[in-house]
C-alpha cells in the first residue's frame, strides 16, 4: 500500500478502507502540519487544525471525484480551516515558538555547538524578522506565499488548493512577494521624479518560477536587459525566496498521529461518492454523467423530458391556485434549516481518549527533505530546488558544501540530475536525487542562471605566528601571519586588530585592512604584552567572524 498512488488510495478509502486513508495521512501529515504552522504561528493550534483537516477530509471523501487530487484537496481544507480560525481568534502577530514544542528548532549544518555564537545569534535575528514579516501579510497573501516558497506547489496546485484561477495565482503571488519585500525592508526607493516601471509586474514572479511559455520568457528577458528598475525587482524577488528558505522546518509533534488515529478509529466510513445523472460528475465538474445518459434508449429520454415538463406545469398551477385562495390547503413554508457551525480548532487537544503523554518527548533523529518546485520545465525556464536537514553534520549539493537549509533557482537547458549528500552523525550518508527534465531547446540568448545573493560570511582565519603566549625578543617590529580562507564570492581582504594589554590606563589598539595578503608587519614596544585577532571580508561584502585571540609578549630592552 505504501507504493500505491494517491488515486488508488482515495478509491480504497472511499470504500471504507481506513488503512488506505491512514497511508494518505502518513504521506501528508508533515507537510500539512508545516503549512498550517506557517499560517497560524503556534504549534498547539497548528496540531489541532491539521488533525481536524484530515478528519474532515475523511468524512467528506465521497465528494472528491476524478482526478482524485488528494494533495491539493487536503491543502485546501487545511488552509480554509486555518484562515477561518485566524479570522476568529487572531489578535496579534504570532511570534516564533520553536522551543515551545516537543523539539528544539533544527539548526543549519554549519551552526553546530562549536560554531560562532555571534553568527548563530545573527541568523536567529534574521529568521525572527522573516517570520514577523510573513505574519504581517494578509492571510490570502501568506497562504499563496507559503504554498509556493515553503511547500513547493506549482501554480496549478496552488490554484486548486486556494480555489483560484491560474491568472489570479500569478497576480496574488507576485503582490505577496512585493509586500513581503517591503515589510522586511528590501524595498529600494525609486529616485524622486522617476516613475516605477509596471510593464512586467506579475510576469516577473512567473518568470522566476518557470511558469511562462517560451514567448513570455523571451519578452521578460528582453525587457529586463533594458530596464534597470525591473532588473532590480527581479533580484529582490529572488532574495524573498532566499530569505523564506532560512525558516527552520516544522516537524509534526508525536501526539498528532496518535490523536488522529484515535479519532479515525471512532469515525464512521465516508459517504459513498454520489452517482449523478446528467452532465455533472463526482468531482463537481462537467462530464461525469455522460456514460449514464448515453445508456438511456432514446424513447426513455423523450419520456423523461416530457414528464419533467408536466411536473413543472403541475407545480406552477398548484402555486397559482394556492395564492388565489389565501393558502387554504396550499404549500406551507418549509422550515429554515439551522446551519451547523463548523468546529473551531482550540489551542488544546480535542480528544480525551486515548491520553497521550510523552514523557519525555522524543527527540527526532536526523531528517532530510529535498524537492523541486517542478521536475519538468521548458528549456530556459527556472525551477526552485529546496532542501532542509535536521541533525546533519555536513550537507553537499552537487558536490559543494551548503547550509543545512536553503534553496537555489536554476534555469537548466538540458536534463540534469541534482544530488543532495547529507553526512549523518554516525558518518553514514543519506543521498537524495532529483532529475529535472527539460522540454525543448534553449534559445540562443538564454542568460546564465541568476545566482542567489551571497549572504554567507566567510569562515574565520586561523592564526599562525607568533604562537599564542609567545615571548619575543625586544625589537621594533613583529610580523603577524595567518592562514587564508576560501569563499564562493572570493576574499576581498583581511582585517587585523592589535591591542596592548596594560593596567592602570586605557589600552592602545590599532586596526588595519583590508589587507590583500596573509601577513602584516606591525610596530611594537619592548616590555609590552599584546593580543591580536584577524577576520575576513568576502567579495559580496559579508564580514566573517574573528579568529581566536592570541597573545604575545615582547621582552624589555
Amino acid at each position: 500500500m505504501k507504493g500505491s498512488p494517491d488515486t488508488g488510495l482515495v478509491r480504497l478509502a472511499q470504500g471504507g478502507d481506513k488503512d488506505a486513508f491512514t497511508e494518505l495521512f502518513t504521506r501528508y501529515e508533515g507537510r500539512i502540519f508545516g503549512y498550517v504552522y506557517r499560517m497560524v504561528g503556534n504549534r498547539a493550534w497548528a496540531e489541532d487544525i491539521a488533525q481536524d483537516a484530515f478528519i474532515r477530509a475523511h468524512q467528506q471523501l465521497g465528494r472528491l471525484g476524478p482526478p482524485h487530487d488528494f494533495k491539493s484537496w487536503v491543502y485546501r481544507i487545511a488552509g480554509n480551516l486555518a484562515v477561518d480560525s485566524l479570522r476568529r481568534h487572531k489578535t496579534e502577530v504570532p511570534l516564533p515558538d520553536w522551543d515551545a514544542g516537543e523539539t528544539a528548532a533544527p539548526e543549519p549544518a554549519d551552526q553546530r555547538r562549536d560554531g560562532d555564537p555571534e553568527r548563530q545569534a545573527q541568523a536567529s535575528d534574521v529568521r525572527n524578522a522573516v517570520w514577523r514579516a510573513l505574519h504581517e501579510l494578509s492571510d490570502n497573501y501568506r497562504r499563496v506565499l507559503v504554498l509556493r516558497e515553503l511547500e513547493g506547489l506549482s501554480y496549478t496546485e496552488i490554484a486548486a488548493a486556494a480555489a483560484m484561477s491560474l491568472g489570479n495565482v500569478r497576480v496574488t503571488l507576485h503582490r505577496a512577494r512585493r509586500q513581503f519585500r517591503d515589510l522586511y525592508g528590501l524595498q529600494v526607493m525609486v529616485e524622486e521624479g522617476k516613475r516605477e516601471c509596471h510593464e512586467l509586474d506579475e510576469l516577473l514572479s512567473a518568470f522566476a518560477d518557470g511558469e511562462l511559455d517560451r514567448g513570455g520568457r523571451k519578452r521578460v528577458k528582453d525587457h529586463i536587459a533594458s530596464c534597470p528598475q525591473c532588473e532590480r525587482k527581479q533580484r529582490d524577488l529572488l532574495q524573498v525566496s532566499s530569505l523564506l528558505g532560512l525558516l527552520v522546518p516544522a516537524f509534526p509533534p508525536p501526539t498528532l498521529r496518535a490523536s488522529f488515529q484515535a479519532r479515525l478509529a471512532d469515525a464512521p466510513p465516508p459517504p459513498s461518492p454520489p452517482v449523478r445523472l446528467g452532465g455533472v460528475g463526482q468531482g463537481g465538474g462537467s462530464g461525469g454523467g455522460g456514460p449514464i445518459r448515453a445508456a438511456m434508449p432514446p424513447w426513455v429520454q423523450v419520456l423523461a423530458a416530457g414528464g419533467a415538463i408536466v411536473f413543472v406545469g403541475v407545480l406552477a398551477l398548484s402555486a397559482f391556485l394556492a395564492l388565489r385562495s389565501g393558502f387554504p390547503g396550499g404549500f406551507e413554508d418549509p422550515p429554515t434549516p439551522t446551519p451547523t457551525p463548523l468546529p473551531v480548532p482550540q489551542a488544546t487537544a480535542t480528544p480525551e481518549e486515548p491520553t497521550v503523554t510523552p514523557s519525555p518527548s522524543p527527540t527526532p533523529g536526523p531528517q532530510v527533505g529535498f524537492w523541486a518546485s517542478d521536475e519538468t520545465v521548458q528549456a530556459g525556464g527556472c525551477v526552485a530546488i529546496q532542501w532542509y536537514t535536521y541533525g546533519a553534520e555536513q550537507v553537499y549539493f552537487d558536490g559543494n558544501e551548503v547550509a543545512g537549509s536553503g534553496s537555489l533557482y536554476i534555469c537548466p537547458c538540458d536534463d540534469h540530475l541534482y544530488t543532495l549528500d547529507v553526512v549523518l552523525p554516525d558518518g553514514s550518508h543519506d543521498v537524495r536525487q532529483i532529475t529535472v527534465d527539460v522540454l525543448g531547446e534553449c534559445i540562443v540568448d538564454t542568460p546564465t542562471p541568476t545566482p542567489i545573493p551571497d549572504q554567507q560570511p566567510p569562515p574565520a582565519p586561523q592564526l599562525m605566528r607568533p604562537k599564542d603566549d609567545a615571548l619575543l625578543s625586544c625589537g621594533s617590529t613583529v610580523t603577524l601571519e595567518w592562514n587564508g580562507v576560501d569563499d564562493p564570492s572570493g576574499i576581498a581582504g583581511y582585517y587585523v586588530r592589535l591591542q596592548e594589554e596594560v593596567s592602570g590606563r586605557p589600552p592602545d589598539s590599532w586596526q588595519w585592512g583590508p589587507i590583500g595578503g596573509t601577513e602584516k608587519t606591525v610596530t611594537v614596544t619592548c616590555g609590552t604584552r599584546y593580543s591580536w585577532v584577524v577576520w575576513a571580508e568576502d567579495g559580496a561584502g559579508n564580514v566573517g567572524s574573528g579568529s581566536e585571540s592570541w597573545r604575545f609578549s615582547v621582552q624589555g630592552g
Side-chain angles (χ1 to χ4, degrees):
M1 186 174 292
K2 289 186 177 181
S4 302
D6 286 1
T7 301
L9 292 174
V10 167
R11 290 173 178 171
L12 289 173
Q14 286 176 335
D17 189 338
K18 291 186 177 180
D19 289 338
F21 193 82
T22 300
E23 175 60 24
L24 289 170
F25 170 82
T26 301
R27 291 184 182 182
Y28 294 106
E29 65 165 322
R31 300 187 69 170
I32 294 300
F33 173 81
Y35 169 47
V36 175
Y37 173 58
R38 302 299 187 202
M39 288 293 295
V40 303
N42 179 277
R43 290 180 185 276
W45 198 359
E47 180 181 354
D48 287 342
I49 294 175
Q51 185 184 145
D52 287 345
F54 280 105
I55 292 297
R56 184 166 298 189
H58 177 262
Q59 294 304 301
Q60 299 178 0
L61 198 59
R63 302 182 183 180
L64 182 59
H68 300 100
D69 182 5
F70 182 81
K71 174 184 175 182
S72 299
W73 192 58
V74 74
Y75 265 110
R76 182 171 179 176
I77 294 174
N80 288 342
L81 286 175
V83 171
D84 289 344
S85 298
L86 284 170
R87 289 172 180 170
R88 295 177 184 178
H89 302 292
K90 183 178 178 183
T91 58
E92 61 182 14
V93 175
L95 296 176
D97 64 341
W98 293 312
D99 296 327
E102 64 290 326
T103 62
E107 297 179 352
D110 56 352
Q111 293 185 3
R112 295 178 287 272
R113 292 182 179 179
D114 57 348
D116 177 34
E118 182 177 353
R119 186 184 302 176
Q120 293 182 12
Q122 291 174 350
S124 177
D125 290 342
V126 171
R127 287 197 298 269
N128 288 344
V130 169
W131 179 271
R132 180 168 289 278
L134 180 65
H135 282 271
E136 288 178 350
L137 295 172
S138 68
D139 295 337
N140 196 36
Y141 280 2
R142 185 165 64 258
R143 175 191 284 199
V144 296
L145 201 59
V146 170
L147 287 174
R148 178 63 191 181
E149 299 292 0
L150 299 175
E151 298 301 316
L153 269 62
S154 67
Y155 280 26
T156 302
E157 290 174 324
I158 295 174
M164 294 180 174
S165 66
L166 280 174
N168 201 8
V169 169
R170 178 187 295 177
V171 173
T172 305
L173 181 59
H174 180 72
R175 291 176 179 174
R177 282 172 170 156
R178 293 193 64 184
Q179 187 172 349
F180 176 90
R181 175 197 68 179
D182 297 344
L183 290 170
Y184 185 78
L186 295 176
Q187 175 69 53
V188 179
M189 299 301 294
V190 180
E191 293 181 22
E192 185 176 359
K194 292 186 178 180
R195 298 181 61 187
E196 190 172 5
C197 178
H198 293 287
E199 180 174 339
L200 298 180
D201 282 342
E202 68 271 7
L203 292 180
L204 286 171
S205 282
F207 174 74
D209 293 331
E211 295 278 350
L212 293 180
D213 57 20
R214 180 169 181 160
R217 295 197 304 274
K218 187 175 188 306
R219 174 191 168 189
V220 171
K221 286 184 285 188
D222 290 346
H223 180 81
I224 288 179
S226 60
C227 179
Q229 293 182 10
C230 288
E231 193 273 336
R232 187 192 67 238
K233 286 183 187 177
Q234 182 72 0
R235 290 200 312 267
D236 289 348
L237 293 176
L238 292 175
Q239 193 169 0
V240 168
S241 300
S242 179
L243 286 168
L244 288 169
L246 296 176
L247 291 178
V248 294
F251 300 110
T255 52
L256 174 59
R257 170 174 288 273
S259 300
F260 164 77
Q261 289 177 330
R263 293 181 65 182
L264 181 65
D266 296 335
S272 300
V275 179
R276 301 175 182 174
L277 302 181
V280 179
Q282 290 180 352
S286 61
I292 296 178
R293 175 180 294 179
M296 292 183 180
W299 62 272
V300 174
Q301 297 184 28
V302 171
L303 287 178
I309 294 173
V310 172
F311 180 71
V312 171
V314 170
L315 286 180
L317 180 59
S318 300
F320 175 75
L321 293 176
L323 287 172
R324 294 194 60 179
S325 59
F327 293 96
F331 297 109
E332 295 182 359
D333 291 336
T336 302
T338 301
T340 303
L342 297 179
V344 179
Q346 302 297 324
T348 56
T350 300
E352 296 184 358
E353 295 292 341
T355 301
V356 180
T357 307
S359 179
S361 299
T363 300
Q367 301 192 35
V368 179
F370 186 45
W371 69 94
S373 58
D374 295 290
E375 295 187 9
T376 302
V377 63
Q378 290 290 336
C382 298
V383 60
I385 306 291
Q386 297 178 288
W387 66 91
Y388 72 80
T389 63
Y390 173 75
E393 291 294 319
Q394 291 175 301
V395 181
Y396 296 89
F397 177 80
D398 275 1
N400 298 312
E401 187 170 6
V402 294
S405 298
S407 63
L408 288 174
Y409 276 86
I410 299 172
C411 307
C413 287
D414 301 299
D415 296 349
H416 190 82
L417 177 67
Y418 298 98
T419 302
L420 188 76
D421 184 3
V422 181
V423 182
L424 304 178
D426 61 2
S428 61
H429 291 248
D430 186 340
V431 179
R432 307 290 178 92
Q433 293 183 321
I434 295 175
T435 299
V436 176
D437 297 322
V438 179
L439 304 179
E441 297 181 358
C442 287
I443 56 179
V444 177
D445 60 345
T446 300
T448 56
T450 303
I452 299 297
D454 181 10
Q455 296 178 321
Q456 186 69 28
Q462 176 63 48
L463 304 185
M464 293 180 60
R465 280 180 291 274
K467 295 293 186 180
D468 194 20
D469 289 328
L471 179 61
L472 308 180
S473 59
C474 181
S476 59
T477 62
V478 170
T479 298
L480 309 176
E481 300 180 41
W482 58 91
N483 279 329
V485 296
D486 295 323
D487 187 90
S489 298
I491 299 298
Y494 299 90
Y495 294 83
V496 179
R497 180 186 296 127
L498 180 69
Q499 181 172 309
E500 290 182 340
E501 292 192 353
V502 297
S503 59
R505 64 175 176 82
D508 291 330
S509 62
W510 304 266
Q511 182 171 311
W512 301 273
I515 300 171
T518 57
E519 63 178 41
K520 173 66 178 177
T521 300
V522 299
T523 302
V524 296
T525 303
C526 296
T528 307
R529 183 175 175 83
Y530 296 90
S531 62
W532 63 295
V533 66
V534 179
W535 62 94
E537 179 182 6
D538 66 16
N542 300 306
V543 178
S545 57
S547 64
E548 296 182 72
S549 178
W550 279 12
R551 294 171 174 79
F552 64 89
S553 300
V554 181
Q555 293 178 339

